[in-house]
Amino acid sequence: MADLPPPTLRLRIDEGALAANWRTLDAMSGAATAGAAVKANAYGLGVDRVMPALLTAGARDFYVAHWGEVPEVARHVTAGAISVLHGVLTPADAAFAREIGARPVINSLHQAQIWLTTGGGVCDLMVDTGINRLGLAMDDIGDPLLAQLEVDMLLSHLASADEDVPLNTVQLDRFRIACGAIPARRRSLANSAGIALGADFAFDGTRPGLSLYGGIPRAELEDRISQVAFPQAAVMQIRTVQAGDSIGYNATYTAERRMRVGVVSLGYADGFLRCRGPGGALLHNTCEVPVLGRVSMDMVVVDLSAAQGIKEGDWLNVPMDLSAAAAQSGLSQYELLTVLGRRFS
Ligand SMILES: *Cc1c(COP(=O)(O)O)cnc(C)c1O
C-alpha cells in the first residue's frame, strides 16, 4: 500500500517523564515495588509506546483488565508478569490463561472453583475490602477452598484513596485481616492515590496507573508527577467569519464581529469531548485560541484573533494538564486520558 501522507493529529509521549513518574511512585512506595496498570491501552496512551519506558525504568508487574489485552502487553514482557484483573469468568478464560501464561486475579469463590477445577496453578487473589466491585467477600476469606490456591499477589483496591476519609483505614484494617487469613507470596493494596497515603498502604507491591501517565489524584503528588501525554492537532483551514455568522452544529456560537477562525483536525472521536468546548481553548505555542461553538466528531473551530502569525498547517497544542482540563470539562483525569482516540500518530 502507498505510504500514508503526513498526519494532522499526533500524540507525543514524554518517555522521560513516564519513566521518572514510575521511579517517583516506586520510591514513594518505600520497601514495596511499584508495578504498572497498563489496562485500556495504557490509559489511552498506547501499550507499545509506554511499555519500553516502563520496563527500562524498572517496572516488573503489569495489570490489565481483560484477557484480550494480554497479547499486546506480552509482546513486551513475559506473560508471567501480567495479571488480569477480571479473573476467570469461564473455563475458556482459564484455558487461555494457561496457554498464554498470564495470571488471573481470582475474584470470588466461584472463580476459585473455575481455576481449580480446570487445573489450578499460580494465580493472584483480590479481596473486596469495601469498594464492592469485583473481589472475594470478607465473609469468604476463611473458606477452605482458598487453601488450594497458589496465590502470588493478594490484592485489594481502595475506593476513595484520593480523599481523606475513614474508609481508607477501614479498608486497610480489613486488608490486614485478609492477609492474616490467606497465605500469599506478596500483598498489594495501593493504586496511585493510595501510594500517597503512606507506607502503611504499600505492603509488597503497589499498582499505579493514573499517575504514571501524569494524573494527580492527590496534592502530595502535585510537584512530583509530570505530564506525559502531549496531543497536537493541525489547523486545516483559516477562514474569516462576519458579524452575525454562526459556527458549527446547531449554531450555538454567533460572531459579534468580523474574525479570523481556524478549523482544527480534532474532534470528539479523538477524545476532545463536547464538554471541552465551552470555556475551553487550544494553544498556539502558549497563546490560547478559544473553542467556538460545538465540538464536531472530526473538527473544532477556534478563535485565532490572538494568534500572531499562525498559518494553515500549523500545529496547536491540546491542553492536557490533567488537573486543569478536568476542572474545565467536568471529566475525570482518567476519562481525559482513556478517551483519546485511535487516530493519533
Ligand atoms: C485501574 C486499577 C489500578 C490503577 O489505579 P490508578 O488509580 O489509575 O492508579 C490499580 N488496581 C486496580 C485493581 C485497578 O483496577
Side-chain angles (χ1 to χ4, degrees):
M1 207 189 79
D3 288 342
L4 289 172
T8 55
L9 201 51
R10 64 190 185 190
L11 175 63
R12 184 171 71 81
I13 302 292
D14 185 337
E15 285 160 22
L18 174 62
N21 288 346
W22 184 85
R23 281 192 229 100
T24 295
L25 293 160
D26 186 58
M28 288 178 74
S29 300
T33 305
V38 293
K39 59 193 180 185
N41 196 27
Y43 288 48
L45 271 54
V47 163
D48 289 339
R49 300 206 208 188
V50 309
M51 284 297 291
L54 289 172
L55 284 163
T56 305
R60 292 294 174 265
D61 299 298
F62 298 89
Y63 296 89
V64 297
H66 292 247
W67 291 102
E69 298 179 295
V70 173
E72 201 174 10
V73 179
R75 287 211 298 265
H76 300 274
V77 72
T78 166
I82 305 169
S83 297
V84 181
L85 292 162
H86 286 183
V88 285
L89 302 170
T90 62
D93 288 343
F96 183 78
R98 291 197 180 83
E99 195 178 319
I100 201 159
R103 288 200 305 286
V105 176
I106 300 299
N107 286 295
S108 63
L109 291 178
H110 177 63
Q111 287 201 3
Q113 209 136 33
I114 291 173
W115 185 241
L116 289 167
T117 56
T118 55
V122 179
C123 62
D124 294 339
L125 178 63
M126 171 74 76
V127 180
D128 176 63
T129 54
I131 194 168
N132 283 300
R133 303 189 316 190
L134 286 178
L136 186 78
M138 283 298 287
D139 285 347
D140 292 334
I141 61 172
D143 196 285
L145 189 67
L146 300 178
Q148 297 175 46
L149 293 176
E150 280 178 65
V151 181
D152 179 354
M153 195 72 93
L154 180 65
L155 303 84
S156 191
H157 191 55
L158 296 165
S160 305
D162 56 342
E163 301 176 278
D164 290 311
V165 290
L167 184 56
N168 291 329
T169 45
V170 168
Q171 289 196 265
L172 177 61
D173 291 343
R174 287 182 188 151
F175 189 55
R176 286 191 173 128
I177 292 168
C179 290
I182 302 168
R185 282 179 211 149
R186 302 183 288 169
R187 287 143 215 82
S188 173
L189 177 61
N191 61 346
S192 300
I195 291 171
L197 292 177
D200 283 354
F201 289 79
F203 293 86
D204 303 305
T206 57
R207 309 186 305 272
L210 181 70
S211 294
L212 293 174
Y213 312 116
I216 301 182
R218 289 186 64 93
E220 295 90 336
L221 294 164
E222 217 159 74
D223 298 324
R224 311 197 208 195
I225 293 297
S226 313
Q227 184 173 338
V228 171
F230 295 85
Q232 292 185 311
V235 177
M236 299 187 291
Q237 188 179 84
I238 294 178
R239 50 196 298 140
T240 301
V241 296
Q242 308 297 336
D245 283 350
S246 64
I247 293 174
Y249 283 119
N250 307 111
T252 60
Y253 178 85
T254 301
E256 284 171 5
R257 54 184 167 80
R258 180 185 155 91
M259 63 198 292
R260 234 163 48 111
V261 303
V263 184
V264 183
S265 175
L266 174 74
Y268 56 76
D270 309 305
F272 196 79
L273 302 189
R274 277 172 41 157
C275 55
R276 296 197 74 182
L282 303 182
L283 296 164
H284 177 237
N285 301 317
T286 53
C287 168
E288 287 205 349
V289 291
V291 173
L292 303 174
R294 287 260 155 87
V295 176
S296 302
M297 187 184 295
D298 319 302
M299 289 179 245
V300 67
V301 176
V302 295
D303 177 1
L304 296 182
S305 305
Q308 294 295 325
I310 192 165
K311 52 188 193 313
E312 289 178 353
D314 283 358
W315 291 97
L316 298 179
N317 295 315
V318 183
M320 280 294 268
D321 172 319
L322 293 172
S323 303
Q328 181 272 319
S329 65
L331 297 170
S332 72
Q333 296 183 39
Y334 296 86
E335 291 169 301
L336 285 163
L337 290 171
T338 56
V339 294
L340 288 171
R342 305 182 320 140
R343 298 196 291 202
F344 289 91
S345 58

